[in-house]
Amino acid sequence: MSADSNTTAVCPGTYDPVTEGHLDIIRRAAELFEKVVVGVVAESPRKDTLFSIDERVAFLEESLPPEANIEVEVFDTLLVDFARKWGAKALVKGLRAISDFEYEFQMAQLNRKLAPDLETIYLMASPEYSFLSSSGVKEVARFGGRVDDLVPAVVARRFAELFQ
Amino acid sequence: MSADSNTTAVCPGTYDPVTEGHLDIIRRAAELFEKVVVGVVAESPRKDTLFSIDERVAFLEESLPPEANIEVEVFDTLLVDFARKWGAKALVKGLRAISDFEYEFQMAQLNRKLAPDLETIYLMASPEYSFLSSSGVKEVARFGGRVDDLVPAVVARRFAELFQ
Amino acid sequence: MSADSNTTAVCPGTYDPVTEGHLDIIRRAAELFEKVVVGVVAESPRKDTLFSIDERVAFLEESLPPEANIEVEVFDTLLVDFARKWGAKALVKGLRAISDFEYEFQMAQLNRKLAPDLETIYLMASPEYSFLSSSGVKEVARFGGRVDDLVPAVVARRFAELFQ
Amino acid sequence: MSADSNTTAVCPGTYDPVTEGHLDIIRRAAELFEKVVVGVVAESPRKDTLFSIDERVAFLEESLPPEANIEVEVFDTLLVDFARKWGAKALVKGLRAISDFEYEFQMAQLNRKLAPDLETIYLMASPEYSFLSSSGVKEVARFGGRVDDLVPAVVARRFAELFQ
Amino acid sequence: MSADSNTTAVCPGTYDPVTEGHLDIIRRAAELFEKVVVGVVAESPRKDTLFSIDERVAFLEESLPPEANIEVEVFDTLLVDFARKWGAKALVKGLRAISDFEYEFQMAQLNRKLAPDLETIYLMASPEYSFLSSSGVKEVARFGGRVDDLVPAVVARRFAELFQ
Amino acid sequence: MSADSNTTAVCPGTYDPVTEGHLDIIRRAAELFEKVVVGVVAESPRKDTLFSIDERVAFLEESLPPEANIEVEVFDTLLVDFARKWGAKALVKGLRAISDFEYEFQMAQLNRKLAPDLETIYLMASPEYSFLSSSGVKEVARFGGRVDDLVPAVVARRFAELFQ
């Protein structure tokens, strides 16, 4: 940010569905950067999603604070190309645990090979969300467990419709 | 950076001595923030330093690019108080390995308790420096091993005086 | 156990198939608690099982010591609901490695959200079983490798029928 | 607990000083066992303590709930001998992070060699205390940082006397 | 190698496709042993491969130095049986990260149970390849990202045909 | 071993004192290499030793099999210089746990910088010794605990003299 004063960051993810842990990272990124683009992966190459891309985007838009500096966008390209398109200076990711760290360490190096001028920065998950993942939440919801504190209200309602 | 356009970050450390790995993180931080304050711990509570605080500062000043946005400062207070004094919005740390991650996860949470509005952000060490630590370098130098690629020239010269 | 003297614990798992490592944990749990309910997941949400639920239960029942305080039961609900149904005070799990630790740390926090009065306690795997998993055993058996020391006799016989 | 109904567990530590994280584990152990003996290491073989053994015991006694089933005792023998003396069936330890896990995995195996009938059971630290350690707290207090949420009131007061 | 002077090692893998990281390990193994057999798993039991067994072998043969002491062979048996068939004294594997370490620790113990006289030895990945995996490379290539430095030329060409 | 048939490896350590875990690694190395030099660090730069260098060497010599291909030697230089002096092609180290892995990953990279033609190879600790360390053994022995299975007889006798 030394040179240009207008800085953008990308918070990428599948968000299937968005959790309170994701929202925490996005909000903290929005404190650090002038603009945050939440990049939603259209299709996950490694697994089917429970929610459609339209639902995943709608959950995010309904849950995020209506601040001017956060935008939700879909992408189906290489992440570094998406970041470039938006003129982003950095990717922002959350770290919850060692397994995140290892995966992210590898991704950071790979992405730097592909786009040397795009930095990836990491924020540590808040302790109250450090155990939280979309897949964990889905497993609980599937059996009718309460997930009200773990996901935004719009997602909790949708789970109730689906699994009860 | 949403509100105020003038952003400062702190890169804290003992820097006993500064390595090429430290310089890499500081330089990358200087790309992300308008001003970077390299905060040098006057005395390490847990271990004696090999180099005096004056030497450690001199090594940093001689090794860092003479860019306007990097400054080296000593501190002997709580890190969060030092950051506050400089109006810093964030601390920037490098992560090399799991053991870093665990220690830093705990420090990040502790520092957020002490200063909720100060964010800590992490950059992954570049692979070529991922094995590099001040203590490793000192162990090699002590036995006359070559450390020219691992530390800036001024430090390599000082090691040669000390141990040869 | 301060108040009520009659204490029950649940040892949950897919047990596809039960290994000597599982049996070690169940036996140790049965030393600590008055009653142990081995809870067998009817269907694994994340993967197909090699053995049917009836076979998995039969393997367990044939391998466990015929002590009065161990019972094998199937469940297809949320684990915390199964534990509640049996009046269990605790879940008992084994830890073999870091990857177990990370997964279990997250599950423990999630389960405490869902059932605050149900404690999860962990036992460290015995060294001789610390490398042992149902999936590893199946991979070996599939190619005709010897698994006699790794699973109870009834399972070893069944593998021989299947893969030889 | 199968055979004898009267069960005792030991929560060992240096407690220099006791933190809210320690208290959380001790309280949870007291729910699981009829009696909990908090075993305070008289002298730490690996490091000097900040507080004397009398202070460390006093902090614990003042902070623990005055329930009949928790007792604080000093020991300067092998931990397994202390546990035997009190007729304990189990040791109870908290796990916060991977580094704890690794150390504890090794200690559990070593202690089982020394006392095969003494089980060690682990509870996962509550997320809000997962970053908390006595040494971290001391570092913060030393520089005048606030530790009120991290340690019991009696310890916070003593820190204020010492470092302000 | 104390007794027999003629020593063979096996470098097993799925190689879907071979990366520069694999080649680095195979070359280093060929410095340590008189003969290296690169063992290519015909079918991966856990996942479909992108490339056929014939393509995977061809990529390896075209990329490896034409030294006399490296041979590429397919196997569809238990790894220890394949090693035995070739009279191998050791398996050679690369370690990039903690997750590798954990998986390999378990496999090493399992393989020693199955073949006590076959040793598994590990080489640390070179830092420049420590973030590199076949699956990561495939994900990048799928979206048209450049993988020229990460895989041998023959593989990069094939990716270009497939995904562009 | 491709070119020269006469291969030497170095097993370095402080051996304060040698444990059954060390002996296991040395014996396995002696199966793999024609000659193994056990390199004993004269003084540990990071900590005082309990036993003198003469005692540490004597323990090793008395415990090792009197095979022609194992030799015990002291060194007080850089490890890579010691290895070079003996014409060693490789260093051999044992890995017990993640913390070993991380430390060794960094040392391997550092040593390759210093001596590119010296390979470091790793063997996984046998499960029965995976929890064993010199410092753990000393802590147990200091309090009169039994260490007979953990160290060779000569060391166990010396502990008995020292601490009983």
Side-chain angles (χ1 to χ4, degrees), chain A residues 34-36 65-71:
Chain A
E34 281 174 33
K35 183 176 182 173
V36 167
E67 288 177 25
N69 75 330
I70 304 179
E71 202 168 317

Side-chain angles (χ1 to χ4, degrees), chain E residues 40-150:
Chain E
V40 188
V41 177
E43 284 177 75
S44 174
R46 275 173 302 185
K47 52 180 185 290
D48 290 338
T49 58
L50 175 65
F51 298 105
S52 73
I53 180 65
D54 289 346
E55 276 180 303
R56 286 181 280 136
V57 168
F59 291 158
L60 275 159
E61 286 179 338
E62 220 168 304
S63 319
L64 281 165
E67 287 176 27
N69 74 332
I70 304 179
E71 203 168 316
V72 181
E73 299 289 339
V74 176
F75 73 103
D76 59 0
T77 61
L78 210 52
L79 173 54
V80 296
D81 291 335
F82 175 71
R84 226 176 249 139
K85 185 180 125 190
W86 286 92
K89 196 152 192 173
L91 306 175
V92 180
K93 314 284 293 274
L95 294 178
R96 286 164 306 180
I98 299 288
S99 45
D100 286 353
F101 171 76
E102 290 239 310
Y103 176 76
E104 293 295 343
F105 191 85
Q106 300 194 354
M107 290 312 294
Q109 313 297 3
L110 205 51
N111 283 331
R112 271 182 86 190
K113 272 248 162 221
L114 297 171
D117 53 340
L118 180 71
E119 187 64 82
T120 311
I121 75 175
Y122 297 91
L123 306 180
M124 297 296 185
S126 300
E128 63 270 35
Y129 304 130
S130 64
F131 59 87
L132 195 53
S133 67
S134 292
S135 58
V137 162
K138 281 183 281 190
E139 229 171 287
V140 170
R142 202 161 268 146
F143 289 104
R146 287 198 54 205
V147 294
D148 304 48
D149 299 349
L150 308 177

